[in-house]
Amino acid sequence: MAHQQTRWSQFGVLITVFFFWGFVAASNDILIPVFKKAFDLSQAQSQLVSLAFYVAYTVGSLIYFMTSKLIGADVLNRIGYKNGICLGLLISAMGSLLFYPAANSGSYGLMLSGLFIVGLGFSLQQIAANPLAIVMGNPATGAQRLTMAGGVNNFGTTIGPLLVSFAIFGSVAAGGTEASIESVKIPYLVLGAAFVLVAVFLKFSSVPNQVDLDGLAADEASDASKLAHKPSAFGYPQLVLGMIAIFVYVGVEVSTISNMPAYLELPVSEGGLGIETALIAPFVSLYWASLMIGRWAGAAGAFDVAKRTKWMLTILLPYLAFGVFLAVNAFANHEISHFFMYGFVIVLMIAATFASRGNPARMLLYFAICGIAALVIGMLTTGMTSVVAFISVGLFCSTMWPCIFTLAITGLGRNTNQGSSLLIMMIMGGGIVSWLQGVIADMHGIHYSFVVGVLCFAYLAFYAIAAKRALQKQGIDLDALTAQGGH
């Protein structure tokens, strides 16, 4: 029992960094209109905020990969997981602190440089923290632990924009809509200080600095003699195919919500709701809340409690998250009655979660099929039915990251960290797939452009099957491994 308590306390410290990722990423949406007005930017120029932040993940992963090759050893195996996360936090702190001279000089380029450096730090944190969350405990519940961490990340996406907006605009609810560049300094100075404090706290915590990755791979395998010890992560098909899976997963998640406002604004005669831009916020909010709803349901399996208690948590936690969404929007005086029907869609997600029985391949397959159905229904219907179908994509994307990540790095042994860096690199799919859907929307209309998401989900369904087969060839039986966790 004491060992389990220690393990959960370590995990609790670790997932603090997941909160930061969500907090900053969602807060960027507040910076975009502020910078656009303050620097008199075009829409394309204002989007450099997102570009600078997300490209940093790819650049950071490439730096990690090349540095490992240059020194002839994996960076995290050399410096340690905990030290790697602390270093990433300090790099992000440096980026946050750049906002002070950038605001004083009124330099948009320096602001973007700050965000880029924050993203570089995040890339190193993600390379270390994602696999560490999986390996800290029973391998059978690794995906559920990563799902729980994702739920904390979504909590950050929920409150981040609210806090940053309040810090920048102050009394915006009372009619204040002006924000100077000077007002950006304090929030990011505070954020930089928080990065440093968490790095110090983490450094002296009991979070493990080293992990026996080859030993873990042997524990995961039902037949260790079949394990493949290859010189590079590229030698593992579950990892190579998983890179594409991360690319299309982030792509469908981001592109669906990026293009949804344009669909909502369509006249009713063309299938949309014909609503004004100012009224779109609660619909966008529900999409992101859907990821939290799904992840809270998927995280129930990570708790060391009786099976019946896990079942109850799987049912109750998603509706608790849905209640948070309704409460926040009611507090903001948004109309929420037309969202009540969404409670019935959550039932389908819960059913798919139960049917997966904690198996990441099975969960990925079922959720991909549900995602395809949601998009097809959205394209074949109109009005609120269509909108709810498109929003539910958030539900079915919710647990895909931990499922893909777990499948992709299982069995990699000493190549786990290299594989993690390659997966983080593929986050760039969010920008590319969104752009592709925009191109199709210009050619064939926004309503049917969501076919791009259908193709993404189709690949994810294929990956669920292909990864399971690849792991079986390496002596890793996901059903047997899951059963060890009591699911």
Side-chain angles (χ1 to χ4, degrees):
M1 179 63 72
H3 176 70
Q4 289 182 350
Q5 291 176 342
T6 300
R7 189 176 68 196
W8 277 106
S9 64
Q10 293 173 345
F11 185 63
V13 173
L14 176 64
I15 60 178
T16 302
V17 297
F18 285 79
F19 172 84
F20 279 136
W21 304 339
F23 186 100
V24 175
S27 297
N28 288 343
D29 293 333
I30 302 298
L31 294 181
I32 290 173
V34 172
F35 287 171
K36 182 178 181 181
K37 188 170 185 179
F39 294 113
D40 192 25
L41 305 173
S42 67
Q43 181 64 19
Q45 290 172 327
S46 70
Q47 293 300 312
L48 291 176
V49 169
S50 295
L51 184 64
F53 183 71
Y54 285 106
V55 164
Y57 279 89
T58 300
V59 173
S61 297
L62 286 171
I63 292 174
Y64 182 94
F65 186 79
M66 296 306 297
T67 301
S68 296
K69 288 293 184 182
L70 187 64
I71 64 176
D74 182 85
V75 171
L76 287 176
N77 285 343
R78 177 70 62 86
I79 69 174
Y81 281 83
K82 181 165 63 176
N83 290 339
I85 297 173
C86 290
L87 177 60
L89 284 165
L90 293 178
I91 292 172
S92 295
M94 291 172 57
S96 297
L97 296 178
L98 266 184
F99 275 72
Y100 193 87
N104 286 336
S105 62
S107 171
Y108 183 48
L110 200 54
M111 293 278 189
L112 294 178
S113 298
L115 280 174
F116 180 81
I117 294 173
V118 171
L120 279 181
F122 280 6
S123 69
L124 180 56
Q125 294 168 46
Q126 289 230 27
I127 291 168
N130 278 291
L132 190 57
I134 293 174
V135 303
M136 283 178 63
N138 190 335
T141 55
Q144 286 91 338
R145 281 193 298 278
L146 194 54
T147 299
M148 181 186 295
V152 174
N153 176 281
N154 286 130
F155 182 64
T157 64
T158 300
I159 70 170
L162 297 176
L163 293 180
V164 172
S165 180
F166 179 78
I168 293 176
F169 291 100
S171 60
V172 66
T177 57
E178 297 296 325
S180 67
I181 292 301
E182 291 289 319
S183 64
V184 175
K185 292 192 298 186
I186 300 303
Y188 280 83
L189 280 176
V190 172
L191 185 62
F195 285 145
V196 174
L197 287 174
V198 172
V200 172
F201 182 70
L202 183 65
K203 176 64 178 177
F204 294 101
S205 74
S206 59
V207 171
N209 200 36
Q210 299 291 342
V211 176
D212 181 8
L213 295 173
D214 285 339
L216 176 70
D219 290 340
E220 293 170 335
S222 57
D223 184 355
S225 66
K226 293 183 179 180
L227 281 175
H229 299 290
K230 300 184 179 181
S232 168
F234 285 111
Y236 297 85
Q238 68 266 33
L239 185 278
V240 176
L241 295 175
M243 290 172 64
I244 303 173
I246 288 290
F247 182 93
V248 299
Y249 153 69
V250 179
V252 66
E253 177 187 291
V254 175
S255 66
T256 299
I257 188 58
S258 295
N259 289 280
M260 192 181 299
Y263 179 69
L264 291 169
E265 294 171 352
L266 279 182
V268 175
S269 60
E270 297 180 29
L273 297 182
I275 62 177
E276 298 177 1
T277 303
L279 301 177
I280 287 175
F283 294 90
V284 176
S285 174
L286 180 56
Y287 183 86
W288 290 115
S290 294
L291 284 121
M292 180 170 63
I293 291 168
R295 285 170 179 171
W296 284 22
F303 293 103
D304 295 317
V305 294
K307 181 178 291 187
R308 179 176 297 180
T309 304
K310 288 183 181 181
W311 288 350
M312 293 177 60
L313 289 173
T314 303
I315 296 172
L316 294 177
L317 287 177
Y319 282 104
L320 177 61
F322 185 46
V324 170
F325 159 77
L326 293 174
V328 169
N329 280 273
F331 182 77
N333 293 320
H334 292 145
E335 175 58 47
I336 61 173
S337 60
H338 48 269
F339 294 125
F340 292 160
M341 71 173 73
Y342 202 65
F344 295 102
V345 183
I346 296 175
V347 173
L348 177 60
M349 182 275 300
I350 293 174
T353 301
F354 278 126
S356 70
R357 299 194 298 278
N359 184 311
R362 193 181 293 120
M363 178 173 281
L364 180 60
L365 177 61
Y366 293 168
F367 275 52
I369 293 172
C370 289
I372 291 172
L375 288 172
V376 171
I377 291 172
M379 289 188 290
L380 296 179
T381 58
T382 59
M384 196 63 187
T385 300
S386 180
V387 170
V388 168
F390 287 144
I391 290 176
S392 69
V393 168
L395 277 179
F396 304 120
C397 281
S398 59
T399 62
M400 286 189 166
W401 173 277
C403 289
I404 297 168
F405 214 99
T406 301
L407 291 170
I409 70 171
T410 295
L412 266 61
R414 69 193 66 179
N415 295 300
T416 296
N417 299 328
Q418 183 187 84
S420 177
S421 70
L422 293 171
L423 293 172
I424 299 303
M425 188 187 306
M426 304 309 287
I427 289 176
M428 63 183 175
I432 296 175
V433 175
S434 296
W435 170 80
L436 178 61
Q437 183 171 348
V439 171
I440 293 179
D442 289 337
M443 296 172 58
H444 303 289
I446 189 69
H447 196 177
Y448 296 107
S449 70
F450 290 93
V451 69
V452 172
V454 173
L455 297 177
C456 291
F457 279 129
Y459 177 82
L460 292 170
F462 158 77
Y463 176 68
I465 299 171
K468 180 179 179 180
R469 289 176 177 172
L471 290 172
Q472 286 176 334
K473 289 181 179 179
Q474 296 172 40
I476 299 173
D477 187 338
L478 291 172
D479 286 317
L481 182 62
T482 302
Q484 294 172 16
H487 292 273

